[in-house]
Amino acid sequence: MIVNPITSRGVLYPAGLPSFHREPVTGDLAAFVRWFWIPEWDIEPGRTSRQHLIGFPACNLIVEDSVTGISGPTTRASYRDLTGKGWAVGALLRPAAVPVLVDDLALARDAYLSMEYPDLSSAVKAAMNTQAPAKVRYDAAISAFTGWLMQHVGAPSDEALLANRMVEVAESDSRVLTVTDLAAELSISTRSLQRLAAKYVGVSPSALIRRRRLQEAAEQLRRNPDFDLTVLAHQFGYADHAHLTNDFQTSLGFTPSAYRRELPAE
């Protein structure tokens, strides 16, 4: 398994991942894609591997052997059941790419939209469905994906780059606890911030901030299951333990106490 520890916060149970490769994006495409990700799995007959996620609030363009589509931004935890043998090659899109590839972002929220991209699909499948070593297949698939995207995305506008910056700050700056904080950091009004999020992300600015806090809180519990929940709540900007628990329950469907009880023993 190859997982970047800094960028794997969205996975609730990392120990249960199948073989997983993540490749950061550099160069001109980095304005549109954060990274490529490639899982492969080979599950024993009759068994299922359930992957629980607090997804990044973003769109993913995904090619699999049988389907190609856009997985939209999520407002809650989600899961996918893996069975049999398979692979996927995905691109985690930055906001700048979204208006180019998604016609109606509202329809993509908490949804998967099947897309007809035959050139992309055939090129990625040709790279992945060989007997070559994993690195050779992954490099070829990412190269094909990169070439296709560069033909479609053009150059990012100033507004699109500001949308990228909005998400970067919301996800990484622990000082940003409110929409007002985020707007001030970007030197725009809260109303402009709301419009930017609706056009390029598909979830509200407050949801962006809340998602980061939940991901970080879950990560802290994975690292230290005995961590005091009241201290944890204060660490991530919640007024008390009850507010943290409510956010967990509303967004994830379970409490922090239940989550850490379900974590695999070291």
Side-chain angles (χ1 to χ4, degrees):
M1 183 196 311
I2 304 173
V3 178
N4 183 334
I6 297 175
T7 54
S8 61
R9 291 194 317 237
V11 181
L12 285 172
Y13 301 98
L17 280 172
S19 174
F20 191 87
H21 176 73
R22 179 175 282 146
E23 188 75 27
V25 174
T26 58
D28 293 341
L29 190 62
F32 297 97
V33 176
R34 294 178 65 169
W35 57 72
F36 291 104
W37 50 271
I38 306 177
E40 288 195 274
W41 58 92
D42 190 356
I43 311 298
E44 294 179 18
R47 300 194 65 179
T48 298
S49 175
R50 175 163 289 188
Q51 305 302 311
H52 296 262
L53 306 168
I54 321 173
F56 286 85
C59 291
N60 285 268
L61 175 56
I62 307 167
V63 178
E64 297 182 63
D65 212 7
S66 59
V67 65
T68 295
I70 296 279
S71 177
T74 59
T75 61
R76 55 186 179 268
S78 59
Y79 66 85
R80 179 177 177 181
D81 288 335
L82 302 179
T83 59
K85 186 174 182 177
W87 54 263
V89 180
L92 178 61
L93 303 178
R94 291 192 187 275
V98 171
V100 181
L101 299 172
V102 183
D103 291 331
D104 190 337
L105 189 50
L107 292 178
R109 188 182 304 115
D110 291 317
Y112 179 91
L113 306 178
S114 180
M115 309 296 287
E116 294 295 329
Y117 294 142
D119 292 346
L120 173 63
S121 300
S122 61
V124 172
K125 290 177 188 178
M128 290 296 294
N129 290 331
T130 73
Q131 298 302 312
K135 185 179 188 312
V136 174
R137 292 184 291 113
Y138 296 170
D139 287 349
I142 290 171
S143 177
F145 217 136
T146 297
W148 185 90
L149 283 166
M150 291 301 295
Q151 292 177 358
H152 288 77
V153 294
S157 66
D158 289 342
E159 182 184 69
L161 293 176
L162 181 61
N164 286 355
R165 176 64 180 156
M166 171 185 65
V167 170
E168 290 169 1
V169 172
E171 288 185 354
S172 64
D173 193 337
S174 59
R175 299 170 302 172
V176 173
L177 299 177
T178 67
V179 172
T180 301
D181 293 339
L182 183 55
E185 186 67 26
L186 298 176
S187 300
I188 61 176
S189 68
T190 56
R191 187 170 182 178
S192 294
L193 187 70
Q194 297 282 0
R195 287 198 298 265
L196 202 64
K199 179 177 179 180
Y200 288 92
V201 184
V203 299
S204 68
S206 61
L208 289 173
I209 297 167
R210 185 166 59 252
R211 188 67 55 88
R212 184 203 76 228
R213 293 160 71 190
L214 281 174
Q215 288 178 331
E216 290 177 341
E219 184 179 37
Q220 180 70 273
L221 284 179
R222 288 198 299 275
R223 291 177 174 176
N224 185 0
D226 296 325
F227 202 89
D228 183 271
L229 294 181
T230 298
V231 175
L232 183 72
H234 292 158
Q235 179 178 332
F236 293 106
Y238 291 93
D240 52 34
H241 175 193
H243 283 83
L244 172 67
T245 297
N246 182 69
D247 226 359
F248 256 74
Q249 185 70 57
T250 300
S251 298
L252 307 182
F254 49 77
T255 66
S257 297
Y259 174 54
R260 64 181 176 185
R261 283 197 301 269
E262 293 297 320
L263 290 171
E266 294 294 333

